[in-house]
Amino acid sequence: MIASESVRSAAAEAPPGRPRPGPGPAACCLPAVPASVPRLRRFARATAARWGLPDGVQDPLALVVTELAANAVRHSGSPDVALLLSTDGFTVTVEVRDTGRWRVASPAGEPDQACGGRGLPLVRAFAADWTLWRTPGGTLAVAELVVLPDR
């Protein structure tokens, strides 16, 4: 117990001129169903608030998580969708992973949405950088958002 307390206090103090270490990553894995998308969005907002990130990053973070998770639900055929969030205090990294195979059509029984197709351009608009990997084992989408201090 004493060792873990000393490790924690040492990690909280950064050397002069170096940024403080960010909090540990936060992860959430849910079934790949439409109802999971708002749950992942709420998880992202709650995590950003818990980390003390500025209010100005919460809306873009929620939007990016929503779009990437919705794509995984709609297009992957995966049984689940996983969200991993991490920050170093300067950027927030969003990782959304599924284990399905990319398909363009909506899943059976889900109505086709006429307003679809805007998700990745929105991610591009809000993320400083983003990458999408499609493999036979699933898809990984990674987006990085810059943390700007509130004014």
Side-chain angles (χ1 to χ4, degrees), residues 8 11-12 19-27 46-53 84-93 147:
R8 227 177 301 152
R20 289 179 54 151
T47 299
R50 188 176 74 248
W51 287 345
L53 296 178
L84 177 67
L85 301 171
S86 59
T87 186
D88 61 5
F90 299 110
T91 60
V92 176
T93 302
V147 176

Side-chain angles (χ1 to χ4, degrees), residues 39-49 58 61-62 65 83 85:
R39 289 178 62 197
L40 290 169
R41 178 176 51 244
R42 287 190 298 271
F43 175 82
R45 281 187 181 276
T47 299
Q58 291 186 26
L61 174 63
V65 167
L83 171 64
L85 301 171

Side-chain angles (χ1 to χ4, degrees), residues 21-127:
C28 183
C29 185
L30 295 172
V33 297
S36 294
V37 176
R39 289 178 62 197
L40 290 169
R41 178 176 51 244
R42 287 190 298 271
F43 175 82
R45 281 187 181 276
T47 299
R50 188 176 74 248
W51 287 345
L53 296 178
D55 291 339
V57 78
Q58 291 186 26
D59 286 337
L61 174 63
L63 184 129
V64 167
V65 167
T66 298
E67 295 301 335
L68 295 178
N71 279 348
V73 167
R74 179 177 283 169
H75 300 296
S76 74
S78 176
D80 51 45
V81 58
L83 171 64
L84 177 67
L85 301 171
S86 59
T87 186
D88 61 5
F90 299 110
T91 60
V92 176
T93 302
V94 176
E95 297 183 28
V96 175
R97 182 182 306 266
D98 65 64
T99 58
R101 297 199 78 155
W102 189 262
R103 58 186 187 186
V104 176
S106 294
E110 182 181 315
D112 214 4
Q113 301 294 323
C115 64
R118 296 181 298 176
L120 293 181
L122 286 171
V123 171
R124 279 188 211 100
F126 284 100

